[in-house]
């Protein structure tokens, strides 16, 4: 099995910064796409940013220019640097990875349990 664990959430003032991290562990053969999603109270989960195995990135329009996604191939980790945070960025942030395990010939989606980011003065 594969486990994803997020860290780095917390309370920050508007205009501040946070860096989220997500580490994958377990039986991993290859990790394809990695991404961050978020879910605010009363709203559906939405894509924040993704990064492919070759480093191509994609961002939601609402975070372009403020957030940066990156990955560490050797450590099976993905990061989300969040700058110029706004109250509307408040949400639970989830990490997702598309992982192929040695036992299977195809990749599957794995999710972390989330980390809460609160932007408030």
């Amino acid at each position: 099995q594969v486990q994803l664990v997020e860290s780095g959430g917390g309370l920050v003032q508007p205009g501040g910064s946070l860096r989220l991290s997500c580490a994958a562990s377990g039986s991993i053969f290859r990790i394809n796409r990695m991404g961050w999603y978020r879910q605010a109270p009363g709203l559906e989960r939405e894509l924040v940013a993704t990064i492919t195995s070759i480093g191509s990135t994609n961002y939601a329009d609402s975070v372009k220019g403020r957030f940066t996604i990156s990955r560490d191939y050797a450590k099976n980790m993905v990061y989300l640097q969040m700058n110029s945070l706004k109250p509307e960025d408040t949400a639970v942030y989830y990490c997702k990875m598309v992982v192929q395990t040695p036992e299977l010939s195809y990749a599957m989606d794995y999710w972390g349990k989330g980390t809460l980011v609160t932007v408030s003065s």
Side-chain angles (χ1 to χ4, degrees):
Q1 282 296 334
V2 176
Q3 299 81 37
L4 304 186
V5 178
E6 302 99 335
S7 60
L11 174 63
V12 63
Q13 293 186 342
S17 298
L18 280 176
R19 187 187 193 220
L20 305 183
S21 300
C22 177
S25 62
S27 180
I28 298 172
F29 173 66
R30 178 170 51 224
I31 301 178
N32 299 329
R33 188 179 302 269
M34 296 177 167
W36 289 95
Y37 295 72
R38 67 186 181 187
Q39 187 167 18
L43 299 179
E44 293 186 353
R45 192 172 298 187
E46 63 176 1
L47 181 147
V48 176
T50 62
I51 184 167
T52 69
S53 58
I54 59 171
S56 297
T57 58
N58 179 55
Y59 295 93
D61 288 343
S62 59
V63 306
K64 283 180 180 177
R66 300 189 297 123
F67 291 9
T68 302
I69 188 170
S70 60
R71 63 187 286 175
D72 186 322
Y73 293 87
K75 296 181 179 179
N76 291 332
M77 294 190 69
V78 64
Y79 307 96
L80 187 68
Q81 178 66 44
M82 305 185 295
N83 299 329
S84 302
L85 281 161
K86 305 175 182 180
E88 51 263 45
D89 295 318
T90 295
V92 177
Y93 284 72
Y94 297 90
C95 166
K96 188 184 91 169
M97 297 188 187
V98 183
V99 181
Q100 184 176 354
T101 60
E103 299 80 15
L104 300 176
S105 61
Y106 54 89
M108 295 177 59
D109 291 350
Y110 291 88
W111 290 86
K113 294 183 178 181
T115 184
L116 177 62
V117 172
T118 302
V119 184
S120 175
S121 56

